[in-house]
């Protein structure tokens, strides 16, 4: 290669590296699901969806925000119950259903400190490995918590869980002390 051609190739390579650096995989932004007191960070612009799911033995409207970034899916879902006293049973059933859908190894459940969440039932973080619908392996981390009549799930599904990304996501979860907005 001639020196001028080598200089152009080097300059082009540097330009490509700079452009890649300006296009982060995770573009964290604060979001608030509609009609909730929850704020959290998502690494991409979320899509919104609503659907009816069986929670606590009855069809319940579930509102979801979610997006894909860095080979992972990030989502938060919220449902409003008829009675806050149902929260513990609904959250336990939601955890069980999620693990069953993943064909998970049972998962590891630990406490989660979440400002503004109800003390009972306590907020928990569940880590599990399982399978996607197509049979590929997946790792998940899911937080389950409540505030008043609202129950929440915040979850990451990834081929390989990045601990720093999971920490950013779960440590961003905050509930205002008052009523949902």
């Amino acid at each position: 290669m001639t020196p001028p051609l080598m200089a152009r190739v080097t300059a082009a390579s540097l330009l490509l590296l700079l452009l890649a650096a300006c296009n982060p995989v995770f573009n964290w932004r604060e979001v608030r699901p509609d009609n909730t007191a929850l704020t959290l960070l998502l690494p991409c612009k979320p899509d919104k969806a609503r659907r009816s799911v069986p929670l606590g033995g009855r069809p319940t409207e579930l509102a979801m925000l979610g997006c894909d970034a860095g080979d992972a899916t990030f989502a938060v879902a919220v449902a409003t119950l008829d009675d806050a006293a149902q929260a513990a049973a609904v959250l336990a059933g939601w955890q069980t259903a999620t693990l069953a859908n993943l064909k998970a190894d049972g998962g590891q459940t630990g406490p989660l400190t979440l400002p503004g969440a109800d003390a009972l039932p306590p907020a928990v973080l569940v880590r599990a490995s399982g399978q996607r619908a197509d049979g590929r392996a997946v790792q998940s981390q899911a937080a389950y918590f409540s505030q008043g009549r609202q129950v929440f799930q915040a979850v990451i599904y990834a081929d390989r869980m990045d601990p720093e990304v999971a920490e950013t996501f779960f440590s961003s979860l905050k509930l205002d002390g008052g009523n949902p907005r």
Side-chain angles (χ1 to χ4, degrees):
M1 236 187 255
T2 64
L5 181 57
M6 196 151 96
R8 282 189 214 140
V9 170
T10 302
S13 297
L14 286 173
L15 181 60
L16 287 174
L17 285 172
L18 287 172
L19 288 174
C22 293
N23 185 11
V25 173
F26 299 107
N27 182 8
W28 295 99
R29 68 204 59 221
E30 187 174 86
V31 297
R32 178 185 296 269
D34 293 339
N35 303 312
T36 73
L38 178 67
T39 58
L40 71 147
L41 294 176
L42 284 175
C44 39
K45 184 176 180 184
D47 293 320
K48 290 182 179 183
R50 289 187 171 278
R51 68 179 186 176
S52 181
V53 298
L55 285 179
R58 62 183 329 166
T60 305
E61 174 107 346
L62 191 65
M64 297 164 282
L65 292 176
C67 62
D68 296 318
D71 296 326
T73 298
F74 299 79
V76 61
V78 59
T80 302
L81 307 175
D82 293 332
D83 181 359
Q86 300 169 325
V90 167
L91 288 172
W94 199 348
Q95 290 173 46
T96 300
T98 300
L99 292 171
N101 284 340
L102 285 172
K103 298 179 184 124
D105 58 9
Q108 295 177 302
T109 302
L112 177 69
T113 300
L114 202 156
D118 291 344
L120 293 174
V124 296
L125 183 64
V126 179
R127 293 176 173 92
S129 296
Q131 296 178 17
R132 296 181 189 274
D134 64 7
R136 290 183 302 130
V138 66
Q139 294 180 342
S140 74
Q141 288 188 29
Y144 296 89
F145 52 97
S146 66
Q147 185 184 56
R149 293 185 315 123
Q150 291 186 320
V151 291
F152 298 86
Q153 178 198 57
V155 64
I156 302 172
Y157 298 107
D159 294 339
R160 190 183 68 71
M161 192 65 61
D162 181 327
E164 289 179 21
V165 170
E167 174 63 23
T168 299
F169 179 69
F170 291 109
S171 68
S172 77
L173 297 169
K174 306 231 178 348
L175 285 157
D176 296 340
N179 294 322
R181 292 184 181 183

